[in-house]
Amino acid sequence: MFERFTEPTRSVVMNAVALAEQRQCEPVGCQHFVEALLADPEAGPILQTRMSGLNAETPIETPPDDANRQDDDLLMSLGIDLDSLRRQIDEQFGAGAFDAVRRRRRSDRDDDRPHRRSRFDVEAKTVLERSLRHALRLRCRSIGPSHLALGVLDDADVVAQANLDADALRELRERLEAVAVEAHGPEATLSWWRRAG
Amino acid sequence: MVAVDILVRAASNADDPGEGLRAIAALKRLSDDLEVLHVERARDLGWTWQQIAEALGVTRQTVHRKHQTGATRKGKG
């Protein structure tokens, strides 16, 4: 399936993963897809007409800095001067290196876990599968960001959170399908090669 | 020997082993964080996984499993 993803689609997925990682709230969920899609040049402008509030107003998740803050308190109670440590590390490894490495997701390098869990939650996986279905249904050769967006719109939680009524949903789907067919449909072989390049 | 000092202090509260355990865990996470920085630097300098593993005193597979993702993301390894 993934070999059909165009470069922009892959970017959207990677950006969604990065968003989840950044906030340390993996696995990746539909909300991360929505946010990444809003910034995509193909699907973004369409989604923004009805869902622009979704990344700004809706607190999709609380940034769980708590884990680090707890560690900070503990370490300081042990007499470790984190500010001085941060200064020294940043001096050696570049500005911001200390905070950046601590923010990075730990389970990536978690030694104790034999099986890495999937990066995507169940709903997100369904969205990925649905994007393929939409591409097949529209007789598209490749899976573009608009197919992914169509898949996201099949998710009931996303629809509810974006407050989309039936009309809005239908309009979004129609516009996304039009863009999808234009960019990836049976007539769009050449542009697909360009995009996939 | 500040580091040892801290480790002893972290493990010394006999009344509440939980306190010591949590402290040790926080120290381990901190040391893991710093390990990442050092491993990445070593890779940047062209060290092999084998060399890094030897320096860390673990097997090549272990260091690979722990650190490869980050290195791949940076376009190496």
Side-chain angles (χ1 to χ4, degrees):
Chain A
M1 172 169 90
F2 294 110
E3 71 279 358
R4 294 201 186 205
F5 278 36
T6 62
E7 274 309 312
T9 315
R10 286 172 203 207
S11 304
V12 169
V13 175
M14 292 310 290
N15 287 341
V17 171
L19 277 171
E21 239 174 35
Q22 220 171 49
R23 299 174 189 156
Q24 299 187 338
C25 50
E26 284 183 282
V28 179
C30 291
Q31 298 306 330
H32 302 116
F33 283 148
V34 172
E35 274 196 66
L37 279 165
L38 282 167
D40 173 78
E42 180 181 297
I46 297 172
L47 292 181
Q48 271 164 24
T49 59
R50 297 283 187 174
M51 302 170 80
S52 59
L54 213 54
N55 60 347
E57 288 162 30
T58 328
I60 287 175
E61 60 268 294
T62 50
D65 276 339
D66 291 356
N68 266 340
R69 205 165 305 138
Q70 272 179 19
D71 271 12
D72 287 1
D73 291 346
L74 262 172
L75 294 169
M76 282 192 291
S77 77
L78 292 172
I80 293 179
D81 184 349
L82 283 172
D83 289 333
S84 134
L85 188 60
R86 177 179 295 111
R87 245 193 332 273
Q88 291 176 51
I89 294 289
D90 286 2
E91 235 167 67
Q92 267 196 64
F93 293 94
F98 183 71
D99 287 330
V101 78
R102 294 188 82 206
R103 258 201 314 276
R104 256 193 257 163
R105 192 161 167 267
R106 293 218 159 80
S107 48
D108 263 2
R109 50 179 198 266
D110 199 342
D111 218 7
D112 308 325
R113 210 159 56 188
H115 303 292
R116 243 170 76 71
R117 269 185 310 157
S118 165
R119 311 201 90 174
F120 302 99
D121 69 16
V122 180
E123 288 78 22
K125 273 190 212 160
T126 309
V127 165
L128 292 171
E129 282 162 23
R130 298 284 311 175
S131 70
L132 172 66
R133 308 245 160 171
H134 284 294
L136 293 174
R137 177 173 64 82
L138 299 168
R139 297 177 55 226
C140 297
R141 295 156 190 273
S142 54
I143 301 172
S146 40
H147 296 115
L148 200 60
L150 285 164
V152 164
L153 290 181
D154 289 337
D155 186 87
D157 288 337
V158 169
V159 172
Q161 255 193 314
N163 265 326
L164 295 173
D165 58 30
D167 286 339
L169 195 55
R170 187 169 348 103
E171 185 207 309
L172 278 181
R173 283 191 172 132
E174 279 169 7
R175 293 183 62 187
L176 285 167
E177 284 176 6
V179 168
V181 170
E182 193 193 314
H184 312 277
E187 312 291 323
T189 322
L190 279 174
S191 72
W192 174 67
W193 283 112
R194 264 208 310 280
R195 272 158 203 273
Chain B
M1 286 281 101
V2 183
V4 175
D5 222 45
I6 289 164
L7 283 167
V8 171
R9 224 175 310 159
S12 66
N13 190 340
D15 296 334
D16 183 7
E19 202 178 294
L21 292 171
R22 278 188 294 275
I24 289 286
L27 279 170
K28 268 192 189 164
R29 284 190 287 270
L30 179 63
S31 120
D32 274 355
D33 288 337
L34 301 184
E35 180 180 319
V36 169
L37 288 174
H38 283 283
V39 168
E40 282 179 1
R41 164 159 297 175
R43 289 293 289 169
D44 283 343
L45 292 173
W47 280 41
T48 64
W49 292 113
Q50 182 65 46
Q51 285 172 308
I52 294 169
E54 274 166 25
L56 284 171
V58 297
T59 64
R60 191 172 52 79
Q61 283 83 355
T62 302
V63 74
H64 221 269
R65 188 177 66 236
K66 261 177 104 175
H67 294 286
Q68 196 194 15
T69 357
T72 317
R73 234 179 268 135
K74 282 176 75 188
K76 292 184 205 77

